[in-house]
Amino acid sequence: MGRGVDRQGKPTTDPHAILAGGALNTFGGYKGSLIALFVEILAGAITGGQFSFENDFTGFPGAQTPKAGQFLIVIDPNWGGSTNFEARLAHLCTQLLDAGQDRLPGARRFTNRAAAERSGIPIAQEKLQGLRMLAGAEP
């Protein structure tokens, strides 16, 4: 199964076909579709930004986005009487792991970050020299 559809509606994993008139598949089936619609409403309709189907990414290389709306939700978990948020969250995570979840989202990233802080980031010697030359440092 593809990650999207091309302009004819055929499943594809080719990002160029998706961007050339196709569409991304939603995650999570019909529930994911509802979440995607909710995001369109918040980041498009409420902000006045373009909807995803109105965006033309062809003139915006890399990570640039055309006329995208941004909607931020800021939540203070200690506001409104919830004084034990951290303990409840820890309990939820413990229950997920006890129920058989292999790991929690982000766990690998935190493990890798801790290893990099201890041992540095592994890089081939020739790549390091190339970076130093780009930065104007001696090899």
Side-chain angles (χ1 to χ4, degrees), residues 14-121:
D14 180 4
H16 300 291
I18 293 169
L19 290 173
L24 284 173
N25 288 337
T26 59
F27 68 95
Y30 68 91
K31 289 183 181 181
S33 295
L34 186 57
I35 292 170
L37 176 60
F38 189 60
V39 169
E40 284 282 331
I41 292 168
L42 293 175
I46 289 179
T47 66
Q50 291 184 335
F51 293 116
S52 58
F53 64 87
E54 297 173 320
N55 282 329
D56 177 9
F57 291 92
T58 57
F60 297 85
Q64 298 177 12
T65 57
K67 301 179 185 169
Q70 295 183 11
F71 184 84
L72 304 175
I73 298 174
V74 181
I75 299 172
D76 179 356
N78 294 316
W79 187 80
S82 177
T83 57
N84 58 349
F85 170 76
E86 291 174 17
R88 290 186 44 75
L89 185 58
H91 180 63
L92 171 64
C93 292
T94 299
Q95 291 298 312
L96 288 170
L97 293 170
D98 288 349
Q101 182 81 21
D102 290 338
R103 61 183 168 88
L104 297 174
R108 185 176 57 196
R109 180 171 36 110
F110 288 114
T111 300
N112 291 343
R113 179 181 288 174
E117 287 174 355
R118 279 191 316 274
S119 307
I121 300 171

